[in-house]
Amino acid sequence: MSRDLTLKINGQTYEFTIGRRLGQIPESETLLETLRERIGLTGSKMSCGQGACGCCAVLMDGKAVASCITLTAECEGKEIITIEGLGDPVTGELDPIQEAFLEHNAFQCGFCTPGIIIAVKSLLNGNPNPSEDEIKEALSGNYCRCISHYQVIEAVKSVLKGGKTE
Amino acid sequence: MTEYRHIGKVRRRQDGRAIVTGKAVYCDDIKFKNAYVAKVLHSPYPHAEIVSIDTSAAEALSGVKGVMTYKNAPAWKTGVPAHRPVMDQHLRFTGDPVAAVAAVSAQIAEEALELIKVEYKVLTPVFDVEDAIKPGAPEVYRKEDNIESKGFHYENNCLPPGSWFEGNDPPFYKIQEGDVAKGFAESDVVVEGKVSYTWTFPGAPESPFIAAGWDDETHVSVWASSQGPNMVARPLAATIGAHINVTTPNVGGSYGNKDALGYTAMLIVALAKTAGCTVKYAMTKEEHLLVYERRLNNKFMGKIGITKDGMMRALQGDWLVGTGAGSELTQGQVAEGLGELHLALNKTPNWDITAKVVVSNMIPVGIARGFGGQELKACALHLLNRALKQIDMDPVTFFKKNFCQAGDQYYWRTGHKYSNPVINYDKCFDVAAEKFGWHEKWKGWGVPTRMEGSKAYGVGFSIHSSGDPQSDETFAYVRLENDQVMVHCVVSQFGNGQRLALAKTAAEILNVPLENVTLNESDTRTDPADFGAAGSRETITAGGAVGRAAMAAKEKLLEEAAAKLGCKAKELDTKDLVVFKKDDPSVSLPWMAICPMYYSITGQGMVEGDFNHNNCVMNFVEVEVDLETGLAKIVNALSGSDVGQIISPIELKMQFEGGLGSAGMDTGQLEEFVLDTNIGRIVTHNLIDYKWRPFNELPNFETSVLESRFPTANPFGAIGIGEITGAAGPAAVLMAIENAIGGAEINEYPATPDKILKVLGKA
Ligand code: FES
Ligand code: FES
């Protein structure tokens, strides 16, 4: 048995079928695998594979989810935004959060950075004016082994000051 | 102090936009043409023998390209000295590879692993270093494994000690000088004891990755998530007798730990050979935690003698270095660890310390920042605290008296002594202590700084120094073409900001905007030789080589311009891609006229290594201990150093902050692998169970940085510190915890709540 699946990713529509045949998406495939291996969106990173590190975070209907433990088959009708889709697709202008991360050099190896930016976006979508504690709490599931935390917090605070995020 | 255009200024990283938009390419983001996926079957037992193995069903599975076991693996060995085979019938730790499969997809490779039938004979394992060296202990390697090197023989689970890469120098694994008996007799206080430091996970977010394919019989192409591509290429090439080219795209964290990837690279190059195809192996995080190279564990049993006025008189001890089932470079860590202890306690006249490198049935040890010294000093300096308590001297005062000063001699990894005539860190102690508020916070040994309800606060201090910052030869070249500066040096992007520093260096010397500088991707095909990032060396070595290459290119540029302008090169200078006469800037030539369309000007640069430039980082910490729950947290941290010249202020600050994580400072109270000795397997093999520092647990963090312009080979007088920013951390943390809890002694890292409650008599 196979069924159709329509995914909306970064504003584009992708049509797949769920099934066991060649080219179909098996029920067990994670959203992270679909993004990285089928669509070529490799900005979301695989690290823990268990929902513990945030490296694979994407926005689903505006909220950050761990794509490594999300099944693609369950994403029908969801609006998915990955790190590649945060900026303006027409002008190439970056999201203010990305701009702030650049401004503050808020990364070292950068492997955790896409996930952290997505987590910040998710936070600000729900709470445009978080306190420093709320920022830290919202990022508490993001693993950053390089300890870029301090610059990340500076970057996020600067976005709030700039009032650029709606 | 000279005002620079780029050096010392905040600049955006050239790869920053790619990082924040998800376009930066890491190994596993590359689509390798015709590559098969590798998966590995790991030993379920810590010590066993394969009685029989049947791979026929796996081989018959559609989509499987090849299966490798000990039966068909090439007879290569890695490690120091060569001891660890690609695969063996004898399995030495839980996770030791039993078989490797190359298949068209990860799913098929995994299915194939399940089809492999293995019958094991379980052997008795040994885990603890002290147990492992007892006569009659289970043998991790045996006579027939033929481990022998420079006259040292393998016995009682002790690998030959000392580093082996130093030409004809004898291995360096002990310091014996003076007369310790006399030293103890002259001491006012002598303490004895045993302190142990746990095994930990450096923990890069990107798990180790290797892809490999044989281009022909003698050439292999490798893609590696490595901070040191030549460390992957050169030793393995020598082992297998083929030329290896290594490409390193962005690396998702390393912390010294994804450097040579010695065993993993050998395994995958072997699989590519036996399966006859290109294979890629992206470790899962679970494999990364369960089987990949980790930080060494060790015990120090020793005796220390000091005088009332706080001068070291004698140090004696056995350093048992646990290297698990294999050593990538543990002997190098022994050599440098001894050197680092010698730098810290430099005024000690009498030494008798000997290291043993001990194998066991635990995960093999690889490279990790702190490289031996972090581990040894965490133990030896903690024992020293017992003596300082008796003479009632605070540790800052003590180390200022005993630390290596300009002109003093210290041992380094060859076993010879080195010395820097100029670099002095005396002032650093005072400035950093002042900024931290050390003298107000220090209330004496075993006395908390303050109490708040059930929370007790205490402070600690320690220091680390390495002789590596100018080590080993380094080459670079710089090409000027049209309006571009192309820099070739084999420096990977793994988070330390070094590539930005090198681009700035070239831009500064050639006086061009940073945008006109391109750094070649780190690739051994196109970049000249260099040992790679390690020991904080690239600030001086790569910085020096790139700086000299840029200067050489500039000289040639000016000579060629002089010929065109009919003047002497020394009358000319260049700025913003225009060469002009110094006394009449209206006489000028744009670079485009000197190196037009298809013209190239190349400058070469080299730095000859030496060990005469030691860096230094001091860690001050304040901890809070909940006396009811036993939970200890770092609440304040200050790291101090003199870095000569700041190249990139934000990146420097982040290097200091980075000392908290990656099995650095946090190994004082938080991080450790937990072993289930019944099954010989670690139970903390995922990022939920292995404890790490999250965003909502950040201490207040400050730095104290001096800029003394040291005479190093860095063109601006800088010295690197990145490797060692957390190395003294664990010792400082444990000292602070003991002070907070009133002086009860804890002799095992990390000071987790159970240990704290136990010494408080509450558990
Ligand atoms: S990789 Fe998905 S949360 Fe870690
Ligand atoms: S920047 Fe490397 S893990 Fe966060």
Side-chain angles (χ1 to χ4, degrees):
Chain A
M1 275 299 283
S2 67
R3 65 181 165 88
D4 291 342
L5 173 75
T6 306
L7 296 180
K8 276 191 89 180
I9 301 168
N10 297 341
Q12 293 211 35
T13 304
Y14 295 85
E15 308 270 358
F16 290 108
T17 57
I18 305 281
R20 296 284 298 166
R21 296 237 175 92
L22 191 66
Q24 292 186 317
I25 294 185
E27 293 278 356
S28 60
E29 182 165 310
T30 64
L31 179 58
L32 182 62
E33 288 167 329
T34 307
L35 292 171
R36 289 181 56 86
E37 283 154 36
R38 290 183 196 266
I39 308 181
L41 293 171
T42 56
S44 311
K45 300 298 179 209
M46 171 61 147
S47 180
C48 72
Q50 291 182 315
C53 75
C55 287
C56 64
V58 300
L59 292 172
M60 189 182 282
D61 295 338
K63 284 211 178 93
V65 297
S67 65
C68 71
I69 49 165
T70 302
L71 296 177
T72 307
E74 287 167 7
C75 294
E76 173 72 46
K78 306 277 191 216
E79 186 91 41
I80 292 155
I81 307 276
T82 71
I83 187 71
E84 292 93 339
L86 268 197
D88 186 313
V90 182
T91 61
E93 201 184 313
L94 299 182
D95 184 277
I97 302 169
Q98 292 169 307
E99 201 48 67
F101 271 60
L102 273 182
E103 179 71 36
H104 289 83
N105 284 354
F107 42 82
Q108 294 181 67
C109 75
F111 200 78
C112 66
T113 311
I116 290 179
I117 291 176
I118 291 290
V120 173
K121 187 74 187 170
S122 171
L123 166 70
L124 300 188
N125 281 343
N127 176 3
N129 235 321
S131 66
E132 186 164 326
D133 282 346
E134 286 170 327
I135 297 169
K136 290 177 175 173
E137 208 52 48
L139 294 178
S140 63
N142 288 83
Y143 181 75
C144 175
R145 197 61 164 169
C146 298
I147 310 286
S148 302
H149 306 54
Y150 296 91
Q151 286 306 107
V152 165
I153 291 164
E154 286 309 307
V156 179
K157 288 201 297 202
S158 80
V159 178
L160 306 182
K161 267 198 220 115
K164 285 183 200 146
T165 305
E166 57 294 329
Chain B
M1 196 157 275
T2 325
E3 252 314 293
Y4 293 113
R5 175 172 178 175
H6 302 292
I7 300 300
K9 301 282 165 29
V10 172
R11 291 282 182 274
R12 290 185 175 195
R13 256 170 61 176
Q14 293 178 308
D15 54 353
R17 201 179 162 95
I19 285 178
V20 302
T21 55
K23 297 202 178 78
V25 173
Y26 298 79
C27 269
D28 201 23
D29 300 338
I30 300 173
K31 276 228 177 306
F32 295 94
K33 225 173 153 222
N34 302 324
Y36 289 77
V37 179
K39 289 280 172 189
V40 176
L41 182 68
H42 299 284
S43 168
Y45 303 108
H47 200 188
E49 225 162 55
I50 299 173
V51 176
S52 68
I53 182 161
D54 178 0
T55 57
S56 53
E59 280 161 48
L61 183 68
S62 157
V64 170
K65 183 77 167 72
V67 181
M68 181 172 74
T69 68
Y70 76 91
K71 292 180 177 170
N72 61 343
W76 305 332
K77 281 182 178 178
T78 184
V80 179
H83 60 285
R84 193 172 168 202
V86 177
M87 284 184 177
D88 204 344
Q89 199 170 0
H90 183 186
L91 302 168
R92 298 181 173 88
F93 68 101
T94 303
D96 210 354
V98 172
V101 169
V104 289
S105 71
Q107 288 77 1
I108 292 176
E110 270 160 13
E111 273 173 49
L113 293 184
E114 282 170 25
L115 296 174
I116 298 173
K117 292 192 194 72
V118 195
E119 197 189 324
Y120 298 96
K121 177 178 161 207
V122 178
L123 305 172
T124 309
V126 61
F127 303 115
D128 183 80
V129 277
E130 285 178 88
D131 293 340
I133 58 172
K134 285 181 188 147
E139 285 186 301
V140 181
Y141 290 86
R142 300 165 182 159
K143 279 241 156 36
E144 56 269 30
D145 294 314
N146 283 322
I147 302 169
E148 185 186 0
S149 193
K150 291 189 182 177
F152 285 82
H153 294 268
Y154 171 83
E155 55 190 32
N156 278 345
N157 289 321
C158 290
L159 283 181
S163 52
W164 303 98
F165 42 83
E166 302 296 352
N168 292 322
D169 285 323
F172 176 45
Y173 63 97
K174 58 187 175 187
I175 301 178
Q176 285 170 331
E177 65 179 31
D179 177 348
V180 286
K182 187 166 154 273
F184 288 125
E186 291 161 359
S187 300
D188 297 310
V189 171
V190 176
V191 293
E192 267 185 89
K194 173 162 88 180
V195 184
S196 60
Y197 184 78
T198 189
W199 52 329
T200 50
F201 174 60
E206 175 202 32
S207 297
F209 180 102
I210 295 280
W214 287 71
D215 306 333
D216 57 41
E217 295 287 282
T218 54
H219 289 82
V220 191
S221 290
V222 170
W223 292 261
S225 57
S226 159
Q227 68 176 59
N230 278 311
M231 283 289 282
V232 179
R234 309 292 164 117
L236 184 57
T239 302
I240 71 174
H243 188 76
I244 297 181
N245 283 310
V246 176
T247 307
T248 52
N250 286 278
V251 179
S254 173
Y255 325 114
N257 195 229
K258 283 152 64 188
D259 192 351
L261 293 109
Y263 175 76
T264 314
M266 179 176 78
L267 177 76
I268 297 309
V269 170
L271 181 61
K273 190 178 175 85
T274 50
C277 59
T278 298
V279 287
K280 68 165 192 169
Y281 180 43
M283 273 193 180
T284 63
K285 190 53 72 190
E286 190 175 35
E287 286 181 299
H288 186 188
L289 278 135
L290 271 177
V291 308
Y292 186 68
E293 313 165 7
R294 42 89 187 179
R295 186 185 278 296
L296 60 86
N297 60 307
N298 64 218
K299 292 187 187 183
F300 176 74
M301 292 97 129
K303 190 169 167 185
I304 295 174
I306 62 173
T307 59
K308 296 205 274 293
D309 58 349
M311 292 310 297
M312 283 291 297
R313 290 309 303 165
L315 187 147
Q316 186 174 38
D318 287 319
W319 179 22
L320 295 185
V321 180
T323 193
S327 147
E328 279 297 340
L329 216 55
T330 305
Q331 287 84 344
Q333 304 195 49
V334 164
E336 300 213 342
L338 289 172
E340 281 154 357
L341 186 66
H342 196 256
L343 276 155
L345 300 177
N346 194 258
K347 301 297 194 303
T348 313
N350 304 298
W351 291 80
D352 181 9
I353 173 171
T354 304
K356 280 198 167 87
V357 177
V358 183
V359 288
S360 69
N361 297 111
M362 303 199 333
I363 307 170
V365 162
I367 306 171
R369 64 189 298 197
F371 204 65
Q374 172 171 328
E375 297 87 343
L376 170 61
K377 287 169 58 254
C379 296
L381 299 187
H382 193 64
L383 176 61
L384 171 72
N385 293 348
R386 315 284 175 245
L388 295 184
K389 183 176 183 174
Q390 292 190 40
I391 62 163
D392 195 21
M393 177 176 283
D394 87 280
V396 177
T397 308
F398 170 83
F399 280 106
K400 197 176 165 193
K401 285 173 176 236
N402 287 277
F403 185 70
C404 182
Q405 287 165 308
D408 290 341
Q409 295 202 317
Y410 54 88
Y411 281 106
W412 200 242
R413 69 178 202 217
T414 56
H416 296 290
K417 281 189 172 172
Y418 300 88
S419 174
N420 88 74
V422 179
I423 301 176
N424 227 338
Y425 294 100
D426 274 1
K427 208 173 131 200
C428 244
F429 283 92
D430 303 335
V431 176
E434 172 75 31
K435 185 162 179 188
F436 181 73
W438 174 259
H439 298 290
E440 297 76 57
K441 288 181 170 141
W442 175 262
K443 305 287 185 215
W445 288 98
V447 184
T449 303
R450 64 196 159 95
M451 296 287 301
E452 274 175 33
S454 67
K455 308 268 171 70
Y457 296 80
V459 289
F461 168 82
S462 200
I463 186 167
H464 195 84
S465 176
S466 154
D468 268 343
Q470 191 160 315
S471 74
D472 302 285
E473 306 74 29
T474 305
F475 299 81
Y477 56 93
V478 166
R479 282 154 53 210
L480 309 183
E481 291 177 5
N482 311 169
D483 61 353
Q484 279 298 309
V485 177
M486 326 266 228
V487 178
H488 294 257
C489 57
V490 69
V491 172
S492 308
Q493 190 295 103
F494 62 100
N496 63 350
Q498 197 59 250
R499 287 174 65 86
L500 172 66
L502 295 170
K504 280 176 155 184
T505 298
E508 186 72 47
I509 287 168
L510 290 154
N511 208 351
V512 297
L514 200 55
E515 297 73 58
N516 293 69
V517 178
T518 305
L519 235 70
N520 191 48
E521 185 180 29
S522 171
D523 192 321
T524 60
R525 279 176 197 79
T526 48
D527 293 321
D530 173 22
F531 168 80
S536 312
R537 59 185 290 280
E538 283 182 326
T539 297
I540 297 182
T541 58
V546 168
R548 287 171 191 183
M551 278 184 256
K554 180 177 167 181
E555 261 170 48
K556 283 194 195 165
L557 176 83
L558 298 186
E559 274 162 25
E560 299 209 13
K564 288 195 161 66
L565 289 168
C567 63
K568 295 222 167 64
K570 64 171 189 286
E571 295 170 59
L572 301 174
D573 202 352
T574 176
K575 186 180 180 196
D576 289 332
L577 310 152
V578 175
V579 174
F580 57 90
K581 254 183 125 172
K582 284 187 262 191
D583 62 359
D584 180 7
S586 69
V587 180
S588 66
L589 261 185
W591 283 22
M592 277 303 276
I594 310 164
C595 38
M597 292 301 271
Y598 307 112
Y599 197 82
S600 188
I601 292 175
T602 304
Q604 297 192 344
M606 187 227 178
V607 168
E608 256 181 80
D610 67 52
F611 302 125
N612 295 315
H613 297 79
N614 64 302
N615 59 4
C616 172
V617 171
M618 301 172 193
N619 293 137
F620 293 80
V621 297
E622 181 173 12
V623 301
E624 171 196 283
V625 184
D626 187 323
L627 299 178
E628 269 158 28
T629 64
L631 183 66
K633 290 180 180 173
I634 303 173
V635 288
N636 270 306
L638 179 138
S639 294
S641 184
D642 188 331
V643 298
Q645 161 74 46
I646 295 174
I647 308 281
S648 301
I650 295 182
E651 280 69 19
L652 175 66
K653 171 179 158 293
M654 295 176 88
Q655 287 281 285
F656 280 116
E657 291 161 354
L660 275 174
S662 58
M665 239 177 262
D666 278 339
T667 58
Q669 82 295 356
L670 179 69
E671 292 192 24
E672 69 175 328
F673 277 131
V674 178
L675 180 77
D676 180 334
T677 48
N678 292 321
I679 54 171
R681 180 179 165 136
I682 52 165
V683 289
T684 48
H685 55 73
N686 57 58
L687 290 187
I688 299 168
D689 295 322
Y690 188 88
K691 295 300 167 214
W692 45 276
R693 179 174 290 280
F695 269 83
N696 53 350
E697 292 281 345
L698 287 179
N700 175 45
F701 198 104
E702 288 187 290
T703 59
S704 164
V705 182
L706 301 181
E707 287 185 276
S708 294
R709 287 294 220 100
F710 294 137
T712 67
N714 176 279
F716 316 104
I719 190 165
I721 47 94
E723 184 224 341
I724 65 164
T725 56
V733 169
L734 195 54
M735 179 193 292
I737 289 172
E738 286 190 356
N739 287 332
I741 63 175
E745 293 184 1
I746 299 171
N747 289 313
E748 273 174 42
Y749 288 83
T752 42
D754 53 321
K755 289 185 197 135
I756 291 179
L757 290 179
K758 193 167 158 211
V759 298
L760 289 176
K762 292 187 180 176

